[in-house]
Amino acid sequence: MTFEVELFLDGAGEDELGALLWLLTRDDAPLRLGAGKPYGFGVVTAGVDWDQTRLWDAAGVRAGWLGLARPEVEGRDRLIGLAEAFAGTAHGNGMLREATESYLAAARPVSEPVHYPRKTPQPQAESYEWFGWNDQARNGTVLNGWALPHVRDPEQRLPFADDEGRAAGTAGGADQRRSGSGNPGAGRSGKRKSVPPQSRGGSGQASGRPGRGGRGRPG
């Protein structure tokens, strides 16, 4: 299905416009609209209709008012230049580089099934039970306390729970998550736990972070 939308921006700075154009001109970063994003719904590929795109900068608008004439329109090259300028700025800025690289990582397809965290490898109607298990505390100490992995951690799965309420592990034994530095640009979470050796045959699970799951393109 293909549809068109028209965006009208007034008073946007070059950095803001460059960021938007950078996002809309990438083939490797589809957008996500509506509900069900963790399951891959609403994935769309965006593009720019350059023939219908108009840009008037502040100097052109001022000249138009002074001359009582329609401002001159900036060409396509100027628009592409703004997107490229943002890419260069993001690469040289630690926080922006972390944000853009993490976004692109989140947009990549996945090869494993994606679902919300659950206690067993089999689908559960009571999907909230995993979160209750994860937040269990004893004498003021959280017993499990699994956090979502950083979007660029090599291991994205969370453990199942066995009948005794322990982490059941992932396929192949111990989880290979590593603790990252937590510094901007590191691409890893600051503190991660390791899944104990597999005890009940659990196969592991994707984290189901909202906005990341099922990243294949429709059709």
Side-chain angles (χ1 to χ4, degrees), residues 21 48-55 73-74 79:
L21 290 169
V48 178
D49 184 350
W50 298 109
D51 293 334
Q52 299 297 322
T53 302
R54 301 287 185 268
L55 172 64
V73 178
E74 294 288 334
L79 295 168

Side-chain angles (χ1 to χ4, degrees), residues 17-31 46-48 83 86 103-104:
L17 186 57
L20 177 62
L21 290 169
W22 175 85
L23 184 62
L24 295 177
T25 54
R26 298 195 66 91
D27 295 329
D28 57 349
L31 305 180
V48 178
F86 172 79
Y103 179 84
L104 294 178

Side-chain angles (χ1 to χ4, degrees), residues 39-180:
Y39 293 107
F41 296 116
V43 178
V44 297
T45 300
V48 178
D49 184 350
W50 298 109
D51 293 334
Q52 299 297 322
T53 302
R54 301 287 185 268
L55 172 64
W56 293 276
D57 63 10
V61 172
R62 181 177 184 275
W65 280 108
L66 291 176
L68 298 180
R70 190 170 182 82
E72 292 291 330
V73 178
E74 294 288 334
R76 173 178 175 176
D77 291 343
R78 174 73 186 283
L79 295 168
I80 295 176
L82 291 175
E84 294 175 345
F86 172 79
T89 299
H91 181 74
N93 181 283
M95 293 185 65
L96 280 177
R97 184 172 65 251
E98 169 69 13
T100 53
E101 290 181 0
S102 295
Y103 179 84
L104 294 178
R108 296 190 189 108
V110 295
S111 58
E112 297 175 328
V114 175
H115 53 77
Y116 283 106
R118 60 194 185 206
K119 295 180 66 176
T120 66
Q122 295 74 30
Q124 288 182 287
E126 299 81 7
S127 58
Y128 59 85
E129 288 186 349
W130 185 93
F131 297 93
W133 165 82
N134 192 49
D135 291 338
Q136 286 178 348
R138 181 179 299 158
N139 298 325
T141 301
V142 177
L143 301 180
N144 299 299
W146 288 88
L148 288 177
H150 189 285
V151 68
R152 288 193 282 141
D153 273 353
E155 176 58 75
Q156 291 289 306
R157 295 173 297 179
L158 292 168
F160 300 112
D162 65 14
D163 293 338
E164 284 73 37
R166 298 171 299 192
T170 58
D175 186 359
Q176 300 300 312
R177 286 191 193 97
R178 294 177 290 177
S179 295

